[in-house]
């Protein structure tokens, strides 16, 4: 068995599998995760759809600061997307060039103490999708960057399942500014 299975006892005491699906609308997943980000991922929410400027040409779905004071970038995919790892590395590259911008956002949203205590040594990228290819799950372990691959499922009665499939914990050296 390679997939997480969830069961509920029915009225007859029989286990009935809860079938999972993907979100109906693209905006549903970020909305749900952002509202419960600290409980779900250990990340304090900072911003949605954050623009990365003309060089990186993107919008980071969610920005946050994790429980260790580490910058966290979250990318959501309704389905499975083989480009999610290259997008994740690109956004981490943006973060390297936008430290002062990120610090200003943290100061505005969480206060000066949080901004002064940001730990830049190992920024975190969380990719949440309906699925990841075998190659994504293997390739993520070759990255120097910290990347988490999290699979989601929407279940009956509004339940949301998040399952960590793969993660890198390699520390990066970031010189002090």
């Amino acid at each position: 068995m390679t997939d997480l299975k969830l069961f509920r006892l029915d009225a007859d005491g029989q286990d009935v599998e809860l079938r999972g699906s993907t979100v109906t609308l693209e905006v549903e997943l970020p909305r749900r995760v952002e509202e419960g980000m600290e409980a779900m991922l250990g990340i304090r929410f900072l911003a949605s759809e954050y623009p990365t400027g003309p060089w990186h040409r993107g919008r980071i779905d969610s920005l946050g600061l994790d429980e260790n004071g580490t910058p966290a970038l979250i990318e959501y995919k309704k389905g499975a997307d083989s480009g999610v790892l290259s997008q994740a590395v690109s956004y981490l590259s943006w973060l390297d060039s936008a430290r002062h911008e990120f610090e200003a956002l943290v100061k505005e949203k969480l206060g000066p103490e949080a901004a002064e205590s940001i730990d830049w040594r190992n920024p975190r990228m969380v990719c949440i999708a309906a699925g990841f290819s075998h190659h994504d799950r293997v390739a993520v372990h070759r990255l120097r960057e910290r990347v988490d691959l999290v699979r989601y499922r929407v279940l009956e009665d509004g339940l949301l399942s998040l399952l960590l499939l793969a993660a890198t914990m390699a520390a990066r050296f970031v010189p002090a500014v």
Side-chain angles (χ1 to χ4, degrees):
M1 176 172 42
T2 61
D3 203 13
L4 175 69
K5 294 182 176 266
L6 296 174
F7 297 85
R8 176 191 333 257
L9 281 176
D10 68 7
D12 298 325
Q14 299 295 311
D15 282 309
V16 178
E17 185 176 357
L18 299 177
R19 297 288 178 187
S21 66
T22 60
V23 290
T24 307
L25 300 172
E26 189 81 33
V27 296
E28 181 183 346
L29 182 61
R31 180 192 55 78
R32 286 192 67 180
V33 172
E34 287 174 354
E35 287 175 2
M37 189 174 283
E38 194 160 4
M40 291 179 190
L41 301 172
I43 298 171
R44 292 178 285 173
F45 174 74
L46 295 173
S48 288
E49 292 293 319
Y50 198 85
T52 60
W55 173 250
H56 291 91
R57 297 185 199 158
R59 289 187 173 274
I60 299 170
D61 289 338
S62 301
L63 284 177
L65 195 67
D66 79 7
E67 66 271 7
N68 300 313
T70 300
L73 295 74
I74 301 94
E75 182 64 27
Y76 310 93
K77 299 294 181 192
K78 178 181 174 182
D81 184 335
S82 62
V84 72
L85 282 182
S86 60
Q87 191 173 7
V89 173
S90 174
Y91 289 161
L92 286 168
S93 173
W94 166 84
L95 184 63
D96 285 343
S97 66
R99 289 175 77 169
H100 296 296
E101 185 177 340
F102 187 85
E103 287 170 353
L105 180 64
V106 171
K107 185 176 182 179
E108 174 189 332
K109 300 289 185 171
L110 302 177
E113 289 112 29
E116 291 168 11
S117 62
I118 295 172
D119 183 353
W120 291 103
R121 291 175 294 176
N122 202 16
R124 180 178 174 192
M125 182 74 210
V126 180
C127 302
I128 302 175
F132 298 92
S133 73
H134 168 74
H135 294 294
D136 287 339
R137 292 190 314 271
V138 171
V140 74
H141 295 289
R142 298 290 301 175
L143 297 175
R144 295 178 326 147
E145 288 79 8
R146 181 177 175 194
V147 179
D148 299 340
L149 301 182
V150 177
R151 192 190 65 221
Y152 82 92
R153 290 286 183 269
V154 176
L155 303 158
E156 296 172 18
D157 300 324
L159 295 174
L160 176 64
S161 165
L162 299 174
L163 177 65
L164 180 64
L165 295 179
T168 59
M169 300 305 288
R172 296 186 321 154
F173 172 73
V174 179
V177 174

